[in-house]
Amino acid sequence: MRDRDIVLPLVLFVVFGVGAAFFLVPKGELDQEAQLTSLSETQALSLLNAAKDPLSPPLAFRQAELTAATGNGALADRLLADLTARTGPTASIATARADLAFRAGNLRQGANYLAAAQSLSPNDNQRQKLADTYRRLGDSAAERTVLSTVPLTKLTASERIRLVDLMAADGAISQALDVAHSALLLPGQNRSALAERFAAIALSAEQPDLLIQATPIVLSEPDGPAMMMSIAKVMTARPRLAKTFAAAVVSQVPDARALLTKAFTEVRLYDAARLMIQPWVTFGSVTTEGWEAVILYADRSGDIGPLKHLLQQMPVQEQPPKNVFLPLIRYDGEGALLPYQLWLTPEYLEKAPLVDAAWALTRQRPDEAFVALQQGVQTLHDQTLWLALARRLQGTEYFDRLQELSGDALDP
């Protein structure tokens, strides 16, 4: 009985520290906790192993835990198996056995135990570990099942994307579209990646109408521009459809015209972008965002006709938009500024050093061009255009000084 007298007080302190709370510790005996917690793991395991009577479930769990800490995972697992036979399955025991299996490198066995723990006591971290284990095992069916049994609102952003990918890979296109569409309406990160998946699946399934219907909702979100960019990237695989898509979306959301223009310009779908800016060219009345879109389109595509047309319609008393002349200089040279010289006031040029440099070159004033290019180096707005203008000073003393500023960039 002496060994038993030593072991029994351990019941009072070991339960809650290891997550196996099978029973509550009697309140009257809580004062023994400080004494018992002073024992080392080796001492505690020796006392537990010396017990002649069956240990209580908390102590048996602690014995298995301490045994595992010594490196004897096989014995620890047998102890937990014996405990399961006595108490029935519990999430704590299943989790402990899963950990032992993972330590031994047995992913499949670990997944089985972890699945049992998840069914007994579901939690997010455990689900994520289980799904990741199935992914490492290449068991996409089991991984999909784990993710599908949880409401979308409970899944992380990456889990939602993974679920869509798994469904699509299994050929469950309709389900993948439904999940992706529903997930797009939920807050969270990586929605641009989700929008890309949705667009790709919709187009591959020859269901562009679903994408057209969903895009206005996407555009209403704070991260709408990023999601629209993802959709535009997918549209590059179907350039002929891009114009139809753009026209259908802007008919529902007229204010999205500038955003669509920018997105299609960025992915070089210039025909669709040109379609978007045509109403401005025809009717005028361009918004600030519209000007930005037209300037971007002209700068990237080289099609500066619409920009010139809008500038010709613009009243002289209005302030020209920022960077509006840069595409003209880039593609037509500094002489393209001559029709717009009434806008090139000292106040405007002070804020636009590259335009200032081009205008000085037009008037054959290399000293002023040099000063403007010096300022342009500091702004680093457009290095390609800066280099082109700087090379116009080749053969002058200013060119050598600009070469020093730019390093080797001006070398032939």
Side-chain angles (χ1 to χ4, degrees), residues 189-251:
Q189 299 177 343
N190 289 338
R191 289 206 298 175
S192 58
L194 193 59
E196 184 174 349
R197 298 298 203 288
F198 178 73
I201 297 171
L203 294 185
S204 66
E206 300 296 335
Q207 299 187 54
D209 288 348
L210 290 178
L211 182 58
I212 292 172
Q213 294 167 11
T215 301
I217 300 174
V218 167
L219 294 175
S220 66
E221 298 294 323
D223 53 351
M227 288 195 283
M228 184 61 236
M229 182 59 67
S230 295
I231 293 173
K233 290 177 182 177
V234 174
M235 298 299 297
T236 58
R238 301 286 295 275
R240 293 184 179 180
L241 183 61
K243 293 173 67 174
T244 303
F245 167 84
V249 171
V250 83
S251 68

Side-chain angles (χ1 to χ4, degrees), residues 158-192:
S158 59
E159 284 179 318
R160 295 168 191 167
I161 293 173
R162 180 62 179 168
L163 179 57
V164 170
D165 288 345
L166 289 170
M167 289 177 168
D170 287 345
I173 302 301
S174 179
Q175 288 177 281
L177 284 171
D178 287 344
V179 170
H181 183 264
S182 298
L184 280 174
L185 306 180
L186 299 175
Q189 299 177 343
N190 289 338
R191 289 206 298 175
S192 58

